Amino acid sequence: MARTVQDYIRTIPDFPKPGIMFRDVTTLFADPRGFRMAIDQLLHPYAGLEIDKVVGLEARGFILGGAVAHQLSTGFVPVRKKGKLPGKTVEQGYQLEYGHAVMELHDDAIDAGERILVVDDLLATGGTAEAGIKLIERLGGVCIGCAFVIDLPDLGGRSRLEALGQQVHALCAFEGD
């Protein structure tokens, strides 16, 4: 029987705290067939479109985004947690479940008018992705879509990004959080 991307993802109960079902994509990354399948499926809706750069969100988005950028023959740009990028950056704050965080992007990473695809492993509340989109737009880039391996629909991230006018592509979904 043919496997799906979801079949390669391990669930770890009660991590990082009791009640959380952690969706671990490292098992997907470690399997050559699974990893190839995920990359092919992430980029499929965007093949043939004009894309100037892929933005990967820290940290697993770097792995996926770099591979997608390679396959699309585009540049890759990391969006990182505050304090991780050298040089001049722009920053965007966003809310976490219990607190606040800040993401950064080099101020010269994206040129006005460039068409950008955002890639990450997991869409939960959408806060990190929204921060990435705002950074792209602040530099004059145009976000043409957001691609994720996993969607957690009960947490509302897809709706949040779609309310921003974004196309959301996810390879699989897990109900609950």
Side-chain angles (χ1 to χ4, degrees):
M1 184 163 132
R3 293 183 78 182
T4 67
V5 166
Q6 191 165 350
D7 295 331
Y8 291 95
I9 298 167
R10 170 174 53 189
T11 298
I12 301 173
D14 299 320
F15 182 83
K17 62 183 185 176
I20 301 293
M21 299 296 282
F22 186 82
R23 310 306 178 171
D24 181 16
V25 294
T26 62
T27 50
L28 170 70
F29 295 169
D31 187 282
R33 285 190 185 105
F35 189 57
R36 167 60 78 183
M37 180 189 307
I39 298 306
D40 289 348
Q41 289 179 14
L42 281 172
L43 66 85
H44 180 75
Y46 310 101
L49 296 181
E50 180 186 335
I51 298 173
D52 297 300
K53 291 180 181 149
V54 172
V55 161
L57 303 175
E58 187 159 331
R60 289 170 297 272
F62 300 166
I63 297 164
L64 295 161
V68 168
H70 172 75
Q71 289 299 105
L72 293 174
S73 297
T74 66
F76 173 78
V77 176
V79 169
R80 302 228 40 204
K81 293 176 183 172
K82 184 174 177 67
K84 299 288 186 178
L85 289 172
K88 199 168 177 193
T89 62
V90 291
E91 63 181 50
Q92 179 66 47
Y94 66 101
Q95 285 302 122
L96 297 169
E97 186 177 359
Y98 299 106
H100 184 78
V102 177
M103 299 300 282
E104 291 183 323
L105 178 64
H106 279 127
D107 70 348
D108 60 356
I110 294 170
D111 293 328
E114 284 189 315
R115 296 170 50 85
I116 311 297
L117 173 62
V118 173
V119 175
D120 203 2
D121 68 318
L122 179 78
L123 176 59
T125 66
T128 305
E130 181 178 2
I133 292 164
K134 287 180 177 180
L135 288 168
I136 291 163
E137 291 174 345
R138 187 170 313 145
L139 294 179
V142 178
C143 183
I144 60 99
C146 302
F148 304 91
V149 173
I150 301 167
D151 182 13
L152 300 178
D154 294 348
L155 297 181
R158 177 183 289 268
S159 298
R160 182 178 187 168
L161 298 182
E162 288 173 345
L164 295 173
Q166 296 302 317
Q167 174 197 11
V168 176
H169 171 59
L171 304 187
C172 64
F174 288 92
E175 299 301 320
D177 53 351

